[in-house]
């Protein structure tokens, strides 16, 4: 069957996200909830459909149950198509090799058959760890214009943080002459966003070479990009300016949620240009009771608020009793906060019960975000306080 | 035991003039994020009915838009699913009148009814709002072998309606003894029809043949009223929330009731095993900015609130400016209220803009209505 596409996306969603601790104990990082009604993976998927990319392979590995269920057939992102659309690509048993995905490059390598089926000119590699809106079609345009073999999206980061990222050293035309993965002494502040566009033939060639190299750690940043440079392939940066946040740590996940608040938020969800699609559930509208006080917060459907909520993000179905107080926190779906409970600087995972007069976190604990694992019941008698 | 359903989207339109100026009764927005048809549809879907025919006659575009493929109710199916039945006008029929009664509509769709493979069929209007356990109602019908089972609710002492509705008196065991058509409470017929009736497909097919032979025009007058005292009808009483929307004031009163009456809210929207489904939009959660103060209100997604909101219903994407006070009002989707406004007993239709410093007020008995896309 004729399935040719110009550009398809491969979304690496298998990461464990171990620095999110309890939040990713039973869930892959891309399925972690964010911004009230979203999951992290909604952002790259929505970007794809907003950029006209209708064929997306989602590579899953770690704890995929919640993720698979959430993604389904891709319908929420309009990716349920007869030709293309969304495909979940878990590791599989082959007739010669059967392996888990050993690294980002190996994960794509194991799915070259999927890519070849669509015979695309370009392959977009994405990860499911970031909150941002971006038009990939503009990046593809730049890629074609430069005649690049590979384009790496970059963003300016504070120089003191640059050693956490892959840093692209490029000339004034954007051609990369050096790529350093997490350098101790970064030479500039242009960090790789982990978004690459490859010419398909180049990608296939280098992935196959990489696979035959027993010393490789099968990683795009550590192996593939340096190998391309070594062989003099034209690698270019595509510099992106806009909101982009890695949500790989508790602190950064909390910060990204806080970035949604206020009358001029750092990241505005109420914009129309790049709509964020997500799987919507049929919940009742939110009911705001008599004693409610809500300021500077984001509240989702199905919530019943009778207490006080300040500077917080609440997912669907959260019940806040009268007299309960929530400050600067992220409360995930179906949490019940009983009267007299106080929550400061915390991320409460879904289905928790915060009992009467229980205090979670402290008014001055901004630098120590408290995590309450999914389904935890906290009462004043329980030890966890 | 399987059931199909037929929903009449627009047969009670005349008394709701303003809200139905450019939409059918079924498409009237209600409770923040729903349209009236969502209650009928959800009741059916929650009773595992997956073959639903929606009869439309006039200005049904917004309804078609709302229903789409039926995906949001899990009704986008290869077999069955949701199907809109529009008037079948022959090129040669000229300006023949479009059906205006249930019987005329049914006679117009005999081909669909003949094809129904289900045992029972549920007929429903859209002007009643309730979360009804239809599964139990159908089981009750099947167990008792009535010709028709009407889903009813207790008619309150002081009940009045803008247009007359069916009311029943029973023997206490659910068998109908009396039926009246009245616009106010009747002592001999204390059960009010919810506009939902259950019968077997076979009976409906026989009924339509009979109707053709005798040229019946009205299901109520030509069939139900004639047979009401024969003991062949039953009622199934629904005990939870029920609202009958017969006029604009009814609409206003019943809507705002949900903001203060917690029992009503939970009995309509808070039953976990019988959720009310609606078309979903990809809109952001509600932003409460500093300075906002909200009490006793229902708020839909994508609203941005900087002012004060009390006893009100805000549909999707409503914006309330700084210093503005909104009380006892219903603001439809996309309404933007500027800063330092005062609104009391106001109903704005979709995408209304109210500029800064406006003061608008209606009265509980006569709410002030502002039409679609108007600017104040």
């Amino acid at each position: 069957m004729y399935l040719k596409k110009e550009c398809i996306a491969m979304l690496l969603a298998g990461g464990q996200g171990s620095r999110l601790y309890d939040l990713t104990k039973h869930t892959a990082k891309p399925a972690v909830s964010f911004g009230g009604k979203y999951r992290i993976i909604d952002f790259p998927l929505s970007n794809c459909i907003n950029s006209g990319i209708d064929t997306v392979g989602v590579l899953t590995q770690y704890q995929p149950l919640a993720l698979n269920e959430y993604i389904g057939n891709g319908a929420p992102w309009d990716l349920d198509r007869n030709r293309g659309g969304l495909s979940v690509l878990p590791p599989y048993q082959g007739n010669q090799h059967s392996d888990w995905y050993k690294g980002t490059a190996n994960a794509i390598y194991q799915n070259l058959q999927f890519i070849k089926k669509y015979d695309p000119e370009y392959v977009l590699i994405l990860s499911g760890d970031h909150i941002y809106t971006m038009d990939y079609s503009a990046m593809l345009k730049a890629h074609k214009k430069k005649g690049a073999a590979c384009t790496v999206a970059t963003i300016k980061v504070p120089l003191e943080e640059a050693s956490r990222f892959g840093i692209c050293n490029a000339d004034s035309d954007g051609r990369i002459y050096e790529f350093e993965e997490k350098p101790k002494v970064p030479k500039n502040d242009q960090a790789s966003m982990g978004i690459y566009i490859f010419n398909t033939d180049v990608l296939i060639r280098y992935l196959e070479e990489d696979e035959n190299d027993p010393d490789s750690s099968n990683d795009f940043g550590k192996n593939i990009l340096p190998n391309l440079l070594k062989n003099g392939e034209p690698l270019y940066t595509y510099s992106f300016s806009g909101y982009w946040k890695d949500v790989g740590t508790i602190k950064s996940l909390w910060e990204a949620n806080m970035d949604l608040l206020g009358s001029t938020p750092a990241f505005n969800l109420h914009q129309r240009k790049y709509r964020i699609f997500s799987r919507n559930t049929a919940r009742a509208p939110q009911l705001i009771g008599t004693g409610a006080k809500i300021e500077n917060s984001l509240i989702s459907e199905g919530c019943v608020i009778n207490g006080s909520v300040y500077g917080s993000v609440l997912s669907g179905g959260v019940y806040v009793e009268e007299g309960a107080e929530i400050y600067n926190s992220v409360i995930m779906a179906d949490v019940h906060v009983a009267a007299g409970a106080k929550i400061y600087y915390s991320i409460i995972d879904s289905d928790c019960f915060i009992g009467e007069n229980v205090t979670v976190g402290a008014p001055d604990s901004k630098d120590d975000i408290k995590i309450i694992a999914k389904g935890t019941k906290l009462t004043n008698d329980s030890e966890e306080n | 035991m399987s059931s199909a359903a037929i929903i009449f989207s627009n047969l009670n339109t005349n008394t709701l003039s303003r809200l139905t100026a450019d939409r059918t009764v079924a498409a009237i927005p209600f409770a923040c994020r729903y349209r009236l048809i969502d209650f009928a549809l959800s009741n059916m879907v929650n009773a595992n009915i997956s073959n639903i025919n929606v009869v439309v006659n006039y200005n049904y575009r917004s309804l078609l838009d709302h229903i789409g493929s039926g995906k949001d109710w899990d009704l986008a199916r290869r077999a069955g699913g949701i199907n809109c039945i529009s008037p079948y006008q022959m090129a040669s029929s000229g300006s023949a009148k479009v059906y205006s009664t249930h019987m005329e509509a049914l006679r117009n769709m005999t081909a669909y009814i003949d094809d129904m493979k289900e045992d029972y069929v549920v007929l429903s209007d859209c002007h009643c709002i309730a979360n009804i356990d239809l599964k139990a109602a159908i089981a009750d019908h099947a167990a008792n072998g009535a010709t028709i089972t009407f889903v009813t609710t207790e008619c309150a002492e002081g009940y009045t309606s803008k247009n007359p509705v069916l009311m029943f008196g029973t023997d206490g065991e659910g068998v109908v003894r009396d039926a009246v058509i009245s616009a106010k409470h009747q002592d001999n017929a204390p059960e009010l029809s919810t506009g939902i009736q259950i019968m077997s497909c076979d009976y409906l097919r026989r009924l339509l043949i009979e109707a053709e032979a005798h040229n019946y025009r009205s299901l109520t007058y030509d069939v139900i009223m004639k047979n009401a005292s024969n003991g062949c009808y039953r009622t199934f009483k629904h005990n939870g929330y029920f609202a009958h929307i017969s006029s604009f004031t009814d609409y206003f009163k019943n809507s705002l009731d949900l903001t203060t009456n917690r029992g009503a809210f939970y009995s309509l929207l808070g039953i976990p095993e019988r959720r009310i489904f609606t078309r979903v939009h990809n809109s952001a959660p509600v932003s409460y900015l500093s300075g906002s103060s909200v009490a006793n209100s229902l708020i839909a997604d994508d609203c941005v609130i900087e002012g004060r909101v009390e006893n009100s219903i805000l549909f999707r994407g409503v914006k309330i400016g700084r210093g503005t006070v909104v009380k006892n009002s219903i603001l439809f989707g996309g309404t933007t209220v500027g800063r330092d406004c005062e609104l009391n007993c106001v109903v704005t239709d979709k995408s209304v803009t109210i500029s800064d410093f406006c003061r608008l007020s209606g009265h509980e008995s006569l709410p002030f209505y502002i039409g679609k896309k108007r600017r104040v």
Side-chain angles (χ1 to χ4, degrees):
Chain A
M1 196 162 79
Y2 185 75
L3 286 168
K4 187 168 173 57
K5 299 277 176 184
E6 190 198 20
C7 181
I8 71 167
M10 299 295 275
L11 204 169
L12 297 158
Q16 182 178 354
S18 53
R19 286 172 303 153
L20 289 175
Y21 303 99
D22 276 351
L23 294 181
T24 49
K25 209 167 174 179
H26 304 289
T27 314
K29 179 155 77 162
V32 168
S33 96
F34 174 81
K37 61 180 287 193
Y38 306 99
R39 309 271 185 140
I40 297 170
I41 199 171
D42 286 332
F43 293 83
L45 285 178
S46 300
N47 287 341
C48 281
I49 205 71
N50 287 332
S51 307
I53 293 170
D54 63 5
T55 307
V56 184
V58 180
L59 295 94
T60 61
Q61 175 157 292
Y62 174 79
Q63 291 281 11
L65 181 67
L67 182 61
N68 288 352
E69 192 184 314
Y70 185 71
I71 300 172
N73 65 351
W77 305 272
D78 263 346
L79 287 170
D80 53 332
R81 306 287 178 97
N82 288 334
R83 296 193 297 131
L86 186 146
S87 308
V88 175
L89 305 170
Y92 55 90
Q93 190 169 28
N95 69 6
Q96 285 167 2
H97 305 284
S98 302
D99 242 327
W100 295 106
Y101 295 149
K102 284 174 286 182
T104 50
N106 177 258
I108 306 288
Y109 172 80
Q110 289 201 37
N111 288 290
L112 283 180
Q113 282 307 326
F114 174 80
I115 295 175
K116 286 173 181 166
K117 190 170 78 165
Y118 294 101
D119 188 22
E121 270 94 45
Y122 309 99
V123 178
L124 170 68
I125 312 281
L126 301 167
S127 65
D129 314 359
H130 301 105
I131 302 299
Y132 65 111
T133 52
M134 180 174 174
D135 182 1
Y136 303 135
S137 67
M139 179 173 168
L140 181 61
K141 213 167 139 192
H143 175 86
K144 288 191 231 171
K145 201 174 155 203
K146 296 266 163 112
C150 169
T151 299
V152 181
T154 60
I155 189 160
K156 199 171 146 70
V157 293
L159 199 57
E160 62 272 18
E161 283 179 31
S163 57
R164 295 202 293 121
F165 296 93
I167 296 298
C168 295
N169 298 315
D171 63 19
S172 57
D173 189 36
R175 181 156 178 168
I176 302 172
Y177 56 85
E178 189 184 22
F179 183 86
E180 295 179 291
E181 186 67 23
K182 300 190 175 117
K184 289 211 171 64
V185 188
K187 295 194 185 87
N188 74 68
D189 56 4
Q190 289 298 314
S192 163
M193 298 163 70
I195 300 169
Y196 317 111
I197 292 179
F198 280 92
N199 289 351
T200 310
D201 55 333
V202 175
L203 179 71
I204 294 174
R205 202 163 71 234
Y206 279 85
L207 285 179
E208 283 173 349
E209 276 174 24
D210 181 66
E211 194 58 23
N212 292 327
D213 175 3
D215 299 328
S216 171
S217 50
N218 307 114
D219 185 84
F220 274 96
K222 285 186 202 131
N223 307 105
I224 304 290
L225 297 185
N227 284 346
L228 257 82
L229 280 173
K230 207 160 61 195
N231 293 342
E233 301 280 0
L235 239 79
Y236 283 86
T237 59
Y238 172 78
S239 61
F240 171 78
S241 58
Y243 185 88
W244 179 79
K245 184 103 184 169
D246 180 290
V247 285
T249 64
I250 298 289
K251 188 72 200 284
S252 64
L253 180 65
W254 178 83
E255 281 170 357
N257 273 289
M258 296 300 124
D259 283 344
L260 306 170
L261 303 179
S263 49
T264 47
F267 188 65
N268 188 1
L269 289 172
H270 293 283
Q271 41 85 25
R272 284 280 172 275
K273 193 175 169 202
Y274 296 105
R275 206 178 256 270
I276 311 300
F277 299 85
S278 66
R279 187 172 288 280
N280 287 274
T281 45
R283 291 186 189 267
Q286 48 184 271
L287 173 63
I288 311 298
T290 325
K293 285 196 179 63
I294 309 170
E295 280 201 40
N296 197 28
S297 295
L298 205 57
I299 296 187
S300 312
E301 286 163 351
C303 285
V304 178
I305 313 288
N306 294 314
S308 308
V309 181
Y310 301 101
S312 298
V313 176
L314 272 56
S315 292
V318 173
Y319 194 104
V320 181
E321 286 186 20
E322 200 164 343
E325 295 171 28
I326 300 173
Y327 299 90
N328 308 93
S329 295
V330 177
I331 315 290
M332 295 184 182
D334 300 306
V335 170
H336 188 106
V337 185
K342 290 186 173 60
I343 300 174
Y344 304 94
Y345 296 107
S346 298
I347 299 178
I348 314 280
D349 205 345
S350 49
D351 303 313
C352 285
F353 179 88
I354 311 298
E356 265 182 51
N357 303 319
V358 168
T359 301
V360 181
D364 55 356
S365 63
K366 189 175 180 181
D367 295 316
D368 177 27
I369 302 300
K370 181 101 178 153
I371 298 288
I372 304 294
K374 187 177 159 89
T376 307
K377 286 195 167 34
L378 289 182
T379 59
N380 261 341
D381 314 322
S382 59
E383 281 177 20
E384 284 183 68
N385 280 298
Chain B
M1 191 175 70
S2 60
S3 308
I6 299 169
I7 296 179
F8 303 95
S9 69
N10 203 25
L11 298 176
N12 326 72
T13 178
N14 40 1
T15 51
L16 283 160
S17 56
R18 285 170 283 196
L19 292 169
T20 53
D22 47 17
R23 53 173 76 92
T24 67
V25 171
I28 293 176
F30 187 78
C32 262
R33 52 177 311 202
Y34 306 99
R35 303 223 182 205
L36 292 191
I37 195 172
D38 291 338
F39 300 97
L41 278 179
S42 301
N43 286 335
M44 289 165 182
V45 169
N46 289 332
N48 299 331
I49 298 177
S50 62
N51 175 10
I52 300 178
N53 301 278
V54 181
V55 178
V56 298
N57 55 357
Y58 295 110
N59 49 20
Y60 47 80
R61 278 191 190 161
S62 59
L63 180 65
L64 296 189
D65 193 41
H66 180 70
I67 294 172
S69 65
K71 211 188 226 172
D72 292 318
W73 299 266
D74 237 351
L75 288 171
R77 307 280 181 99
R78 285 271 147 98
I82 195 164
N83 176 31
C84 284
I85 298 175
S86 55
Y88 190 75
Q89 290 280 55
M90 309 278 257
S92 57
S93 66
S95 57
K97 211 170 154 273
V98 172
Y99 43 73
S100 61
T101 69
H102 295 80
M103 184 55 94
E104 287 171 358
L106 288 169
R107 285 173 64 183
N108 193 268
M109 58 178 284
T110 45
Y112 290 91
I113 293 164
D114 287 345
D115 280 350
M116 283 178 182
K117 292 175 184 67
E118 289 79 1
D119 303 320
Y120 301 101
V121 57
V122 178
L123 309 188
S124 175
D125 286 326
C126 284
H127 62 295
C128 290
I129 301 163
N131 188 334
I132 291 170
D133 187 356
L134 263 188
K135 211 188 268 177
I138 295 165
D140 180 87
H141 175 78
N144 289 294
T147 314
I148 303 178
T149 298
F150 298 90
V151 180
T152 59
T153 186
E154 187 77 44
C155 184
E157 275 303 310
Y159 175 87
T160 56
S161 158
K162 188 99 179 260
N163 43 11
V165 283
L166 253 179
M167 296 175 185
F168 299 99
T170 65
D171 63 355
E173 301 287 320
V175 178
V176 173
R177 291 288 167 220
D178 250 326
V180 293
I181 296 170
S182 163
K184 61 175 196 286
H185 174 85
Q186 297 290 333
D187 285 335
N188 64 333
E191 289 184 35
L192 189 64
S193 164
T194 61
I196 296 173
Q197 41 195 295
I198 304 162
M199 59 189 82
S200 72
C201 288
D202 286 336
Y203 171 72
L204 179 59
R205 286 189 272 261
R206 283 200 308 275
L207 181 65
L208 289 175
I209 294 169
E210 192 188 317
E212 206 60 45
H214 299 284
N215 197 20
Y216 292 161
R217 290 272 155 215
S218 162
L219 184 60
T220 312
Y221 290 96
D222 293 336
V223 183
I224 297 169
M225 292 305 283
K226 281 185 187 161
N227 300 303
S229 52
N230 292 353
C232 57
Y233 297 154
R234 285 182 61 84
T235 64
F236 175 86
K237 221 161 156 190
H238 161 70
N239 291 317
Y241 175 89
F242 173 82
H244 173 218
I245 307 290
S246 73
S247 67
F248 184 61
T249 351
D250 270 355
Y251 174 82
F252 184 74
K253 205 166 75 34
N254 285 306
S255 292
L256 290 194
D257 187 41
L258 287 175
T259 67
T260 47
N261 183 344
R262 297 289 177 268
F265 178 84
Y266 286 110
S267 142
L268 182 65
L269 299 169
I271 301 175
E273 69 277 16
R274 295 207 308 267
R275 287 190 291 169
I276 304 297
F277 301 94
T278 185
R279 182 183 176 202
V280 298
H281 291 241
N282 285 284
S283 36
V286 182
S287 277
Y288 294 88
L289 304 180
S290 48
S292 78
S293 141
V294 180
N296 288 333
S297 296
L298 299 186
I299 318 276
D301 266 2
D302 217 11
C303 290
V304 179
I305 302 172
E306 254 188 297
R308 221 168 97 198
V309 180
E310 281 170 30
N311 291 58
S312 295
I313 293 185
L314 271 49
F315 284 73
R316 285 191 186 98
V318 170
K319 294 193 170 48
I320 307 290
R322 179 166 292 272
T324 288
V325 181
V326 176
K327 285 183 185 172
N328 310 313
S329 294
I330 302 170
L331 310 184
F332 283 10
T335 296
T336 303
V337 185
R339 46 181 296 235
D340 296 309
C341 296
E342 270 178 45
L343 270 61
N344 183 31
C345 296
V346 172
V347 178
T348 62
D349 210 308
K350 289 183 88 173
S351 305
V352 165
T353 308
I354 295 170
S355 334
D356 299 349
F357 310 112
C358 283
R359 286 174 171 211
L360 304 170
S361 184
H363 186 266
E364 276 164 46
S365 58
L366 191 63
F368 182 49
Y369 171 83
I370 303 168
K372 214 170 177 172
K373 290 187 180 164
R374 299 296 287 271
R375 296 185 69 93
V376 181

